[in-house]
Amino acid sequence: MMMMKFQNQFNGVESLEQRRRETMVGPRSNGGGIRPREAFSSINGGRRISFPASAPPSAPGSNAGSDVGVLDFNKEDVEVLLNERMRNKNKFNYKERCEQMMDYIKRLRLCIRWFQEVEGGYLVEQDNLRELLQSAEIKCSEMEMLMQNKEEELNSIIMELRKNYNLLQDKCAKEQSDKTGLMDDLSREKEARIAAERLQTSLSEDLEKIRQEQETSSQKISSLNDMYKRLQDYNSSLQQYNSKLQTELSTANETLKRVESEKAAVVENLSTLRGQYTSLQDQLTSSKASQEEAVKQKEGLINEVGCLRTELQQARDDRDRQLSQVHTLTDEIGKYKDFTGRSVSELDCLSMKSDELEQAKCSTQNDLVRTLQDQLAAAHKKLQMSDLSATETRKLYEEQNMTICDLRIRLEDAEVKLVEGEKLRKKLHNTILELKGNIRVFCRVRPSLPDEVSSTDAKVVGFPTATEAMGRGIDLLQNGQKHSFMYDKVFVPDASQEDVFVEISQLVQSALDGYKVCIFAYGQTGSGKTFTMMGSPGNSEKKGLIPRSLEQIFETRQSLKSQGWKYDLQVSMLEIYNETIRDLLSTHKSSSIDNGTSAKQYNIKHDANGNTHVSDLTLVDVRSSKEVAYLLEKAAQSRSVGKTLMNEQSSRSHFVFTLRISGVNESTEQQVQGVLNLIDLAGSERLSKSGSTGDRLKETQAINKSLSSLSDVIFALSKREDHVPFRNSKLTYLLQPCLGGDSKTLMFVNISPESSSLGESLCSLRFAARVNACEIGIPRRQTNVRSSDSRLSYG
């Protein structure tokens, strides 16, 4: 099954490489019968992997016509290499089988080395693509910044032009309003000029009328003067007549008649004068009254003459007043003529100035309009240039985006190829480990706790970044000296429980395939072993390997039902406390510990098939992961824990979880039996640091003794000694099939990043290196018929 998965994985890598080569260099041609072999050599810089000429003739892909056999691995070669079977005429000739096995392992190593070079080429190509992507992103960001700057500059220029245009529009509107105001003023001035002219004509007409009236009044005055002279003459005549009246009475009547006629004429003259002047009319009326009495007496005539004199004086006063009015009017007319002359000259000057101002404003507005038009044309040109530059920048940006997308696609392809190559490398590495029978070792460094961050003086744990050591190496710095170790996998402190489980999921799957699988956690107390195996209860994201493994097994069992598989699962849990086995699922109180001894004894037995049995151990059939979770919670409550100076809740015993799997395929009648052992070892600790006393001291001594026995077993296995001391402790005797049999075994070595735990961490890593070098035998799949014995095996 592993060979089939390896072939499918290699087929995927070959198809991906074929697509990449077709997209990069075009479709290849197989003309001339030459087989294309550039799939991985192009990535490896044209390098080839060559076997020496002494390679056996059965090696695939050897060139018979050359002096030295050069081998380029491709899909067919790897399939031939993986499908190759041992052909021995004598099956008891172990030396020949070992030589063939060593040669097969050498070819597998060369194939792995070839895959590592391919992986290195992928990494180099990935780094190059990342650098190209980063440079393209930097260029794209620079272009975006340049575009933004240009766009901001153009926007500022456009805003300034718009502001200038608005200002010029405001100025133009203001000038237009001023122009309209001046035009209105000019029209008002013209109207005022017309009105002044009209007023001047009316005043001239009035002046003519006044002149005519003055002439008429002067004529009237002259006539009145003549009349006054005549009246004086008449008065003198009347005096003469009065003197003669006494003497000539007879003639008086005639004279009276004559006087009356003259008086009537004077009355007529006076009536005409009264018609012209209201004052003369009054005088004439009074003269009429006095004239009526003049007949009777002379005094009336004298009075009438006095009245006439007064009226004449009044007429003279009126004449003088009218003359003064005429003089004032003439003065006002002269002044008005001067004012109208000045106003006409000023009006002419204003009209000239308004014409000049209108012409100047029109010329300035025309100039402003021309400059605005020029600026607007320049702005349009700049806008067109900016549009062109923006389109060019957009084109360049789109090209850069296309380049970035292409680089991302290539990077994704390279990452996919890298992941598939890494999976293939792991498959080949696991195949070699299974062929060699080595124990796989994973190292996990727990993160620093909050109270440890401030106390950590310097970083003592490092992780190399070289390609061959990335994800597999760890460095410890002690007193300025660096200690480097290489394992199958190294997990950094940030690695999650999911990341850890992904690496062992295929190993858990092997238990369903009929293999014996053992995974145990080793390390000092407080290094995170129980967290790795059990996790945090109540937190689904921090579930440990045991609950995750069971979830995977139940999910796989459900999916395999469609293929005809039926599985029965049995669970048992025990702990080794002070070299005594305790059943954690027992319902009887007799299994409790009194003074370090168990009331019930449990014996460990190994049969001829390599299976291990623990007598009287409780077995529970399980059908779901919830049942197993309940059993784990029950076992956790029964497990022995205690408080030390190094750990608040320290496990004081070795916890062993065992899942026995029996599967039957009704369609093929195939039966498999697998065993999954998940072990949480107690933490190693020094008495000087743990501060254990009393019962804790006995527990610490028992834990250190069992771990020391485990170290002795590993040391003996690494030295390939004939005698391996499995019986020195209950722990090593229980793990004998896992350490020296046909089981797939993996050890988690957990270390603490504290500088105070550096010595213990260094010892744990050295022990893990010895464990990784141990060869325990090739795993064997159990397909025999399930025995009727229902006791659980720990093989």
Side-chain angles (χ1 to χ4, degrees):
M1 180 177 289
M2 184 175 293
M3 292 298 179
M4 291 294 290
K5 293 179 180 178
F6 176 74
Q7 291 176 1
N8 294 332
Q9 189 70 26
F10 186 79
N11 291 336
V13 174
E14 185 73 18
S15 62
L16 284 172
E17 180 61 28
Q18 176 69 22
R19 289 199 301 271
R20 187 187 69 82
R21 187 170 63 252
E22 289 179 356
T23 56
M24 294 179 65
V25 301
R28 62 183 183 180
S29 60
N30 295 335
I34 300 175
R35 189 172 54 179
R37 309 296 290 266
E38 298 299 325
F40 295 95
S41 61
S42 60
I43 298 175
N44 295 328
R47 293 178 295 174
R48 291 187 174 184
I49 301 174
S50 60
F51 289 107
S54 59
S58 61
S62 61
N63 296 331
S66 61
D67 296 331
V68 180
V70 179
L71 179 60
D72 285 338
F73 284 98
N74 59 6
K75 179 179 178 182
E76 293 82 3
D77 297 338
V78 175
E79 288 180 353
V80 170
L81 184 62
L82 294 176
N83 295 326
E84 184 177 351
R85 295 290 181 268
M86 301 299 174
R87 298 177 182 178
N88 297 318
K89 295 181 179 180
N90 187 1
K91 63 181 179 178
F92 298 102
N93 191 352
Y94 293 104
K95 183 177 181 181
E96 184 179 357
R97 292 180 65 185
C98 289
E99 289 178 354
Q100 290 181 358
M101 183 65 69
M102 292 300 293
D103 182 67
Y104 184 65
I105 290 171
K106 286 179 182 179
R107 282 182 283 158
L108 281 176
R109 284 177 176 173
L110 290 173
C111 185
I112 292 171
R113 195 180 304 156
W114 174 67
F115 273 105
Q116 288 177 350
E117 291 181 358
V118 171
E119 181 184 2
Y122 283 145
L123 290 173
V124 171
E125 184 179 2
Q126 184 181 9
D127 293 336
N128 294 331
L129 290 173
R130 283 177 179 170
E131 291 176 357
L132 290 174
L133 180 61
Q134 290 176 357
S135 62
E137 288 179 350
I138 291 170
K139 289 181 180 179
C140 183
S141 62
E142 290 177 355
M143 290 300 296
E144 287 180 353
M145 291 296 293
L146 185 60
M147 281 184 64
Q148 289 178 358
N149 293 331
K150 285 186 177 180
E151 187 174 359
E152 290 176 357
E153 184 179 356
L154 290 173
N155 287 330
S156 63
I157 291 171
I158 290 170
M159 290 298 292
E160 289 178 359
L161 290 174
R162 285 178 179 173
K163 288 180 180 178
N164 293 331
Y165 182 70
N166 292 328
L167 290 174
L168 291 173
Q169 280 185 344
D170 294 335
K171 287 182 180 180
C172 186
K174 188 175 180 182
E175 293 292 337
Q176 191 70 25
S177 63
D178 293 339
K179 182 179 177 181
T180 53
L182 290 172
M183 292 296 291
D184 294 336
D185 293 338
L186 183 61
S187 62
R188 284 194 297 269
E189 288 176 358
K190 286 181 179 180
E191 290 176 357
R193 182 178 178 183
I194 294 169
E197 289 177 353
R198 290 177 180 175
L199 183 60
Q200 185 179 4
T201 53
S202 64
L203 287 174
S204 61
E205 291 176 357
D206 293 335
L207 184 59
E208 290 293 332
K209 289 179 180 179
I210 290 169
R211 285 176 181 175
Q212 291 176 2
E213 289 177 357
Q214 186 180 5
E215 290 176 356
T216 56
S217 62
S218 61
Q219 290 176 3
K220 289 177 180 180
I221 289 169
S222 62
S223 64
L224 287 172
N225 288 326
D226 294 337
M227 188 181 290
Y228 180 70
K229 289 177 181 181
R230 286 193 301 269
L231 286 172
Q232 285 180 351
D233 293 337
Y234 179 72
N235 192 11
S236 62
S237 66
L238 283 176
Q239 287 177 358
Q240 291 175 0
Y241 178 74
N242 190 18
S243 63
K244 292 178 179 178
L245 185 61
Q246 294 177 359
T247 61
E248 295 177 356
L249 182 59
S250 57
T251 59
N253 291 325
E254 295 177 0
T255 307
L256 183 59
K257 291 179 181 178
R258 190 172 56 251
V259 171
E260 287 178 357
S261 61
E262 289 177 0
K263 187 177 179 180
V266 172
V267 170
E268 290 178 1
N269 291 328
L270 288 174
S271 63
T272 56
L273 289 172
R274 286 191 185 97
Q276 294 179 358
Y277 296 98
T278 57
S279 63
L280 292 176
Q281 286 178 359
D282 295 333
Q283 292 176 0
L284 288 174
T285 56
S286 63
S287 64
K288 281 181 180 180
S290 63
Q291 194 176 22
E292 289 175 353
E293 294 178 357
V295 178
K296 295 179 179 178
Q297 53 185 1
K298 182 180 178 181
E299 291 83 1
L301 291 173
I302 296 169
N303 293 329
E304 187 177 358
V305 170
C307 291
L308 288 173
R309 285 178 180 177
T310 54
E311 289 177 359
L312 182 60
Q313 187 65 36
Q314 288 178 359
R316 285 177 180 176
D317 293 334
D318 292 334
R319 184 194 66 179
D320 294 334
R321 189 169 52 255
Q322 288 179 357
L323 287 172
S324 63
Q325 289 180 357
V326 168
H327 288 302
T328 54
L329 287 172
T330 54
D331 294 334
E332 288 180 357
I333 288 169
K335 291 179 181 180
Y336 186 73
K337 285 181 178 180
D338 296 334
F339 177 74
T340 53
R342 286 195 303 271
S343 63
V344 169
S345 61
E346 289 177 357
L347 187 60
D348 294 334
C349 292
L350 286 173
S351 61
M352 291 174 66
K353 287 181 180 180
S354 63
D355 294 335
E356 292 176 357
L357 184 62
E358 185 177 358
Q359 292 178 359
K361 286 183 179 179
C362 289
S363 61
T364 53
Q365 287 176 357
N366 290 328
D367 295 335
L368 287 174
V369 169
R370 291 193 191 94
T371 54
L372 283 174
Q373 288 178 353
D374 295 336
Q375 289 178 0
L376 188 61
H380 281 302
K381 288 182 181 179
K382 287 184 180 179
L383 188 60
Q384 290 177 358
M385 294 297 292
S386 64
D387 290 337
L388 292 174
S389 61
T391 53
E392 291 177 357
T393 308
R394 285 195 186 95
K395 288 181 181 179
L396 185 60
Y397 179 71
E398 290 175 357
E399 291 176 357
Q400 291 290 336
N401 282 334
M402 292 176 65
T403 306
I404 290 171
C405 292
D406 189 16
L407 290 173
R408 284 178 179 171
I409 292 171
R410 293 174 63 186
L411 182 61
E412 291 175 358
D413 293 338
E415 288 177 351
V416 170
K417 292 175 183 177
L418 183 63
V419 170
E420 293 180 351
E422 179 67 17
K423 290 181 180 179
L424 187 58
R425 185 194 65 77
K426 288 180 181 179
K427 291 289 185 182
L428 291 172
H429 182 68
N430 292 334
T431 303
I432 289 177
L433 290 178
E434 290 174 0
L435 292 174
K436 290 174 62 178
N438 287 37
I439 300 176
R440 275 167 277 191
V441 176
F442 287 175
C443 176
R444 187 179 189 184
V445 183
R446 73 163 173 81
S448 298
L449 301 177
D451 56 347
E452 297 174 354
V453 175
S454 58
S455 63
T456 303
D457 298 331
K459 187 177 181 181
V460 297
V461 179
F463 304 95
T465 57
T467 304
E468 63 275 4
M470 185 180 297
R472 299 179 57 204
I474 185 172
D475 298 331
L476 256 65
L477 189 63
Q478 185 183 32
N479 298 327
Q481 184 179 2
K482 185 172 71 172
H483 302 275
S484 300
F485 299 92
M486 290 281 290
Y487 303 105
D488 297 287
K489 183 67 179 178
V490 174
F491 297 98
V492 297
D494 296 335
S496 63
Q497 297 281 68
E498 178 67 24
D499 298 334
V500 176
F501 178 72
V502 167
E503 295 294 331
I504 69 159
S505 59
Q506 294 297 325
L507 196 62
V508 174
Q509 179 66 32
S510 299
L512 281 173
D513 297 337
Y515 289 93
K516 298 177 184 178
V517 178
C518 178
I519 301 174
F520 64 95
Y522 176 88
Q524 73 177 103
T525 183
S527 59
K529 300 181 300 300
T530 304
F531 177 77
T532 299
M533 301 303 294
M534 301 294 294
S536 297
N539 193 338
S540 59
E541 295 182 356
K542 294 184 179 180
K543 291 185 293 187
L545 300 183
I546 295 177
R548 290 179 185 270
S549 300
L550 293 170
E551 287 178 0
Q552 178 181 336
I553 286 174
F554 282 110
E555 289 176 359
T556 307
R557 184 185 72 167
Q558 188 68 24
S559 63
L560 290 177
K561 282 185 178 180
S562 60
Q563 301 179 11
W565 284 97
K566 291 184 178 181
Y567 289 94
D568 294 328
L569 305 178
Q570 287 182 321
V571 170
S572 70
M573 301 182 200
L574 62 86
E575 69 172 353
I576 301 176
Y577 176 76
N578 288 347
E579 289 298 313
T580 303
I581 296 176
R582 292 185 59 196
D583 186 3
L584 297 178
L585 300 181
S586 175
T587 57
H588 303 288
K589 295 183 179 180
S590 60
S591 62
S592 62
I593 296 177
D594 296 328
N595 297 326
T597 59
S598 176
K600 189 173 184 179
Q601 297 294 327
Y602 296 92
N603 298 320
I604 303 172
K605 295 181 181 180
H606 303 294
D607 59 13
N609 294 326
N611 298 321
T612 300
H613 307 281
V614 179
S615 61
D616 299 327
L617 192 65
T618 303
L619 303 176
V620 179
D621 294 329
V622 291
R623 296 176 180 81
S624 66
S625 58
K626 292 183 179 180
E627 295 180 4
V628 181
Y630 170 74
L631 295 176
L632 285 173
E633 184 178 358
K634 179 180 178 181
Q637 294 175 355
S638 302
R639 188 179 178 187
S640 301
V641 295
K643 179 180 180 181
T644 65
L645 295 179
M646 299 182 67
N647 194 0
E648 188 72 20
Q649 289 185 345
S650 176
S651 301
R652 313 308 294 169
S653 63
H654 306 299
F655 173 73
V656 181
F657 173 88
T658 304
L659 179 68
R660 175 82 178 263
I661 303 171
S662 297
V664 178
N665 193 324
E666 296 179 351
S667 60
T668 60
E669 296 182 356
Q670 185 181 4
Q671 296 180 351
V672 295
Q673 291 182 355
V675 178
L676 177 63
N677 294 319
L678 301 172
I679 304 170
D680 178 19
L681 299 178
S684 62
E685 58 187 40
R686 297 186 181 183
L687 295 176
S688 59
K689 290 187 177 181
S690 63
S692 301
T693 57
D695 293 339
R696 296 289 176 268
L697 178 61
K698 294 180 181 179
E699 294 169 356
T700 302
Q701 291 174 347
I703 291 169
N704 290 339
K705 179 183 177 182
S706 60
L707 294 178
S708 178
S709 300
L710 179 62
S711 178
D712 294 338
V713 169
I714 296 299
F715 185 78
L717 290 173
S718 62
K719 294 293 184 179
R720 296 186 179 180
E721 295 180 356
D722 296 334
H723 174 68
V724 181
F726 288 109
R727 293 180 176 270
N728 286 356
S729 71
K730 292 288 182 65
L731 175 65
T732 55
Y733 191 54
L734 187 66
L735 295 179
Q736 181 177 355
C738 302
L739 299 176
D742 53 1
S743 174
K744 290 185 178 182
T745 306
L746 184 144
M747 184 184 85
F748 269 98
V749 55
N750 296 81
I751 64 172
S752 171
E754 290 183 273
S755 58
S756 59
S757 304
L758 185 59
E760 290 291 333
S761 299
L762 189 59
C763 293
S764 299
L765 293 177
R766 287 172 177 168
F767 175 72
R770 287 199 299 269
V771 171
N772 200 17
C774 291
E775 296 182 2
I776 59 175
I778 300 174
R780 181 172 55 86
R781 188 180 182 187
Q782 295 184 356
T783 58
N784 56 332
V785 180
R786 182 181 178 184
S787 62
S788 59
D789 190 0
S790 62
R791 289 176 298 179
L792 185 63
S793 171
Y794 285 84

